[in-house]
Amino acid sequence: MHPDDPTAQKLTDAPPTTRTRDAASTERTIGRHRASEPPRRALLGSTPVRVALATGVTCCLGLGAFTAARGAQETPQPVRPIADALADRAAIADERASRSLDRDAAPARVIPTPTASPTPRPTVTRKAPKKPVKPRRPRPVAGLDQQQMDNAKIIVDVGVELKMPRRALVVALATAMQESNLYNLASDVLPESSEYPHQGSGSDHDSVGLFQQRPSSGWGTVAELMRPSYAARAFYTALAEIPGWQDMSLTAAAQAVQVSAYPDAYAPHEDRATTVAAALLA
């Protein structure tokens, strides 16, 4: 049969134009007692959906952690309330106090005593050299002025240095009182003598100094005899060479050294010389 035959076309069942509704289907679509439809599979139960959701959550958490960390670096940490800080400190104190009493005690700090510690080296401080202290000038006695008393002290000091007895000191002082009145004199005859420290001048030949000793007689040079200490030493040396001078009178002993034209001129000075010697030796 040809497909285009109208007869054949009539014999073919026409497809239903409407959905066949049986009693069951009618019961499902109408009324409150319709049968429940088969359960549908939950959307989240799908494996691809769960994978995608987990991946998204992970990314979000990572991004949030990164943002929080960066914000913590850039943003200063908020200051903890004072009450919280005090509470934490109290808790720490309680914890320390609750430790066992049987724990080992911390070693005590030993403070070295001065005797146990090594003796420190003394610090050497270089001090500036002290200026020489000028000897105290003696107080004048027996009617002498300060220059005379200073010269008398030189005579006594030299005698003490040479270990001469007190009698020799008195003889030397009386001799200088007679010869120069205890002044260090230059000589008008020797102009050279004026070039050295002096306290006046005389004109008795070439006699100079406290004892008016003459360079021409071998007592020493002008420069030496103008030094009071040298002149006194020269006198004591000559006196010590005279045998038995200790038993002589003052004027005899002085004359034995000086060989003066006035041998008795030394005696009047004995009392003053004794007073001056006693004052300088006190």
Side-chain angles (χ1 to χ4, degrees):
M1 183 178 294
H2 196 273
D4 294 333
D5 190 354
T7 306
Q9 295 177 358
K10 291 180 180 182
L11 293 177
T12 304
D13 294 333
T17 57
T18 59
R19 186 177 179 178
T20 305
R21 298 182 179 179
D22 53 10
S25 63
T26 303
E27 184 179 357
R28 285 196 301 267
T29 57
I30 61 175
R32 57 178 179 167
H33 299 290
R34 66 177 180 270
S36 60
E37 296 182 358
R40 297 181 182 180
R41 188 175 184 179
L43 180 61
L44 295 180
S46 174
T47 299
V49 174
R50 285 186 294 174
V51 171
L53 182 60
T55 302
V57 170
T58 303
C59 293
C60 292
L61 292 176
L63 181 60
F66 174 76
T67 304
R70 184 173 180 181
Q73 294 179 356
E74 296 179 355
T75 305
Q77 294 294 331
V79 180
R80 297 179 60 189
I82 297 178
D84 294 346
L86 293 178
D88 292 344
R89 292 182 63 180
I92 294 174
D94 293 341
E95 181 181 355
R96 291 179 179 176
S98 63
R99 291 181 182 176
S100 173
L101 296 178
D102 298 333
R103 64 181 182 276
D104 295 335
R109 181 181 178 185
V110 179
I111 300 177
T113 59
T115 55
S117 61
T119 304
R121 294 183 179 180
T123 303
V124 178
T125 304
R126 294 183 178 180
K127 297 181 179 180
K130 296 182 179 180
K131 295 182 179 179
V133 180
K134 294 182 179 180
R136 187 181 58 167
R137 304 180 73 177
R139 185 175 62 85
V141 295
L144 302 181
D145 61 22
Q146 190 63 61
Q147 287 183 335
Q148 291 172 308
M149 197 66 183
D150 292 342
N151 290 331
K153 184 177 186 305
I154 294 174
I155 294 173
V156 171
D157 289 346
V158 173
V160 171
E161 180 184 349
L162 295 175
K163 301 184 184 309
M164 298 296 287
R166 181 184 288 243
R167 178 66 174 172
L169 307 183
V170 175
V171 172
L173 289 172
T175 302
M177 289 177 180
Q178 170 60 32
E179 296 291 347
S180 64
N181 198 20
L182 281 175
Y183 290 114
N184 190 29
L185 301 179
S187 174
D188 296 336
V189 179
L190 294 175
E192 178 189 353
S193 62
S194 298
E195 298 176 2
Y196 305 100
H198 58 281
Q199 299 163 336
S201 62
S203 57
D204 183 10
H205 303 288
D206 59 347
S207 300
V208 294
L210 289 176
F211 295 89
Q212 289 293 284
Q213 296 155 330
R214 301 177 65 178
S216 60
S217 299
W219 287 94
T221 64
V222 176
E224 291 172 340
L225 296 176
M226 290 299 296
R227 295 205 318 266
S229 59
Y230 178 89
R233 187 178 296 272
F235 179 85
Y236 286 122
T237 301
L239 179 64
E241 293 176 355
I242 297 174
W245 68 268
Q246 297 91 339
D247 300 329
M248 296 179 180
S249 63
L250 183 144
T251 188
Q255 176 62 16
V257 176
Q258 296 295 107
V259 190
S260 172
Y262 307 96
D264 298 329
Y266 305 104
H269 305 288
E270 184 172 357
D271 291 340
R272 276 207 310 165
T274 303
T275 302
V276 172
L280 293 171
L281 292 174

